[in-house]
Amino acid sequence: MAKVQGEVIIDLEKCKGCELCIIACPEETLAIANIINKKGYRYAIKAQDNCTGCANCALVCPDAVITVYRKVEKAPKQAV
Amino acid sequence: MGDVKFMKGNEALSEAMIRAGCDAYFGYPITPQSEVLEYLAREATKRTGMVVLQAESEVSAINMIYGAAGCGKRVMTTSSSPGISLMQEGLSYIASAELPCLVANINRGGPGLGTIQPAQGDYFQSVKGGGHGDYHLVVLAPCSVQEMVDYVKLGFELADKYRTPVMILADGAIGQMMEKVELFPQMERVVTDYPWATTGRPAGKDRRYITSLHIQPEKMEEINHTLQAKYKVMQETEVRYQALHLDDAEYLMTGFGLAARICIKAMELGRAKGYKIGMIRPQTLFPFPTKIYAEVAPRIKGILDVEMNAGQMIEDVRLSVEGKTRVEFFGRMGGMIPSPDEILENFEKYFIKGS
Amino acid sequence: MSELNEIMNPIKENICLPEFLVYERPDTLTEQEFHYCPGCGHSTVHKLLMEVVSEMGIVGDTIGVAPVGCSVFAYHYLGVDMQQAAHGRACAVATGIKRVMPEKIVFTYQGDGDLAAIGTAETVHAANRGENLLVIFINNGIYGMTSGQMAPTSLEGMVTTTSPYGRDVLTQGYPLKISELLAHLPGVYYVTRQAVNTAGNVRKTKKALQRGLEYQKKNLGFCLVEVVSNCPSNLKMTPLESNEFVANQMIPFYPLGDIKVPEVK
Ligand code: SF4
Ligand code: SF4
């Protein structure tokens, strides 16, 4: 099995807290913070470290503030 | 030397447009200027590759002009009074966004649907801005088929020089009459690389955008100042007029376009009767030749302003003379053309019999 | 990076490497932050459009026209050469541009009021002439910029500030399906209706925009991409609720999918 690791970086000062990314994420990685950014919005944060890098969140983010990375490590071939 | 031809005003205007290297014409048919679109449809594209498109309305035509002018192209539209009313919104945007273009208004009688006969009732809507906000068009007033041709060339030059819409304000008679005309030779269609034109973002450079929207009042005021400064320069350097017999004149007749042409005849009749009448004919209605009126006003006994409307340019004449001489008015309306005799009669009524 | 970003976004050095990058903000969007409300579909479509323009490598070949309405400032965000048009006149302005620069790709970006009310004549005639334009039409069923008045596309019974008792079709007319109307015209090449309320729909909208621009590259005719969208502020809903409104109310009346596709020869 290939191991998939994802990572999102959210530009928190530019996030408008619309929560669309939170609903879009199949892994429930994201949540809304209890504190606000300079704009006055409660911003989206990573609540769990289980991102797969599917980029659903970035795709729906209207303000294009999410950057997504995805690293796929192929499992080493077993000698037969 | 260009060619000398015998041509109808509207056709000469169209021919001049082609020869001036115009890139595109967008227009909508309306009497008395439908020959323009017809002539161009026949001649223009096959000769110079110029774009000619019949729009679905004058509203659309002027906005096509906006789009094409925004690409730095030499563009023109024509219409007549009710059609020009429809274009006013677009002209305001064009003036504000500082796009060069040329518009000809072949004035007909109004208000409303009015008549298709020649009139000058569009002085206000041409010279005073017409649409919303503080702006002007440069307004050129031809009184002959020759000037229709000359002003197309001049109009494009002024439009490019000042990045401004320019209007040729003629009337149905000048559009329809046939006269001998000397045409300038065919000019090339040139591609000018204006830094403001939206022709596709150049690699490694900032993109351009054209807008007339500036939400910040400070910025919008600044734009207004820029426009006003431009109009001031025009007032200082672009005034054009024809003056006759100013050296010995005791009276003046004045008017523009066709009315002025008839006035010249009336002036000659008057001079034959011994009245020392001179004549000022503004060729640019904006910028208005204020100075020459102001200069002669103190030494003359009065001015008869003749127009084919209820008295529109007369306001600018009165502002120019600042009360230093009497300014009287004679006009015909609704498509009626004054005769030299009735002009002279009115001159005598105001200045000879009355005095 | 701001302080907040530094604290909350610790960079995982083994993953956050250029070779593992799968999504970033398209560089054809300008630096300027959208003025749109949180969760607004305008932002999403702006972003998608610029993604496609970037990916197709047509930044220098594309000229856009912005409307009057909420997206009046589109030219501040879309990093291509742009013109701002008078209300409803985008298709006329775009016609002017395209006719003098036929080698360029020209698009308009318009809302429902701009395209389907005041600009109906310009839209229909540009379509009927088969102008080579991509028209992007954001249908959120309401006037956003002037804050919540009835749009030509407002649903029957929909409460707006100018239909406070709900849109009464007998006195206020029916919601206008302009895409279906335009699809009948022979000059029209491609018409599709998409939405941006879910990740799946966002993907499809991006494909539609791509298709529209590809057709424009070949000057194949008038293309219309309608995007059924939300307006959380004027619907007085949260962004999530407004997307549910799109799913449950708008889409049943404005069904998604291709309305006219080119015949495969
Ligand atoms: S990339 Fe996919 S898994 Fe990761 S946070 Fe975004 S939506 Fe969730
Ligand atoms: S979708 Fe974008 S703007 Fe909205 S909460 Fe998520 S990160 Fe913030």
Side-chain angles (χ1 to χ4, degrees), chain A residues 10-12 14-22 30-32 42-45 57-58 60-66, chain C residues 38-39:
Chain A
I10 305 171
D11 192 338
L12 303 170
K14 292 186 178 157
C15 168
K16 290 181 183 165
C18 69
E19 303 187 39
L20 300 190
C21 56
I22 293 162
L30 305 173
I32 205 83
R42 288 173 59 191
Y43 50 86
I45 46 161
C57 56
V60 299
C61 174
D63 291 89
V65 300
I66 307 180

Side-chain angles (χ1 to χ4, degrees), chain A residues 1 75-80:
Chain A
M1 256 291 283
K77 279 205 180 114
Q78 302 282 318
V80 186

Side-chain angles (χ1 to χ4, degrees), chain A residues 8 21 24-30 50-58 68:
Chain A
V8 289
C21 56
C25 174
E27 308 296 330
E28 298 184 8
T29 304
L30 305 173
N50 61 346
C51 169
T52 61
C54 72
N56 266 9
C57 56
V68 186

Side-chain angles (χ1 to χ4, degrees), chain B residues 56 66 201 207-208 210, chain C residues 75 79 81-84 129:
Chain B
E56 63 272 24
Y66 178 99
R201 179 181 184 165
R207 56 50 190 263
R208 285 77 51 101
I210 286 165
Chain C
Y75 60 86
D81 275 4
M82 295 279 297
Q83 294 194 16
Q84 197 283 318
R129 287 191 303 265

Side-chain angles (χ1 to χ4, degrees), chain B residues 125-203:
Chain B
Q125 81 155 340
S126 305
V127 176
K128 302 296 179 183
H132 56 287
D134 277 314
Y135 74 93
H136 286 286
L137 312 177
V138 172
V139 183
L140 304 171
C143 77
S144 65
V145 175
Q146 184 64 54
E147 282 189 343
M148 288 283 257
V149 168
D150 297 344
Y151 289 177
V152 168
K153 196 162 172 238
L154 175 66
F156 278 131
E157 283 163 13
L158 293 173
D160 290 346
K161 184 171 170 188
Y162 293 99
R163 280 182 64 184
T164 192
V166 175
M167 180 177 281
I168 295 175
L169 177 60
D171 61 66
I174 297 169
Q176 299 296 329
M177 68 166 75
M178 289 190 81
E179 281 187 316
K180 196 179 83 175
V181 55
E182 187 184 331
L183 296 161
F184 53 87
Q186 178 67 49
M187 292 160 64
E188 272 200 48
R189 286 177 55 204
V190 283
V191 180
T192 316
D193 190 15
Y194 295 109
W196 49 265
T198 55
T199 54
R201 179 181 184 165

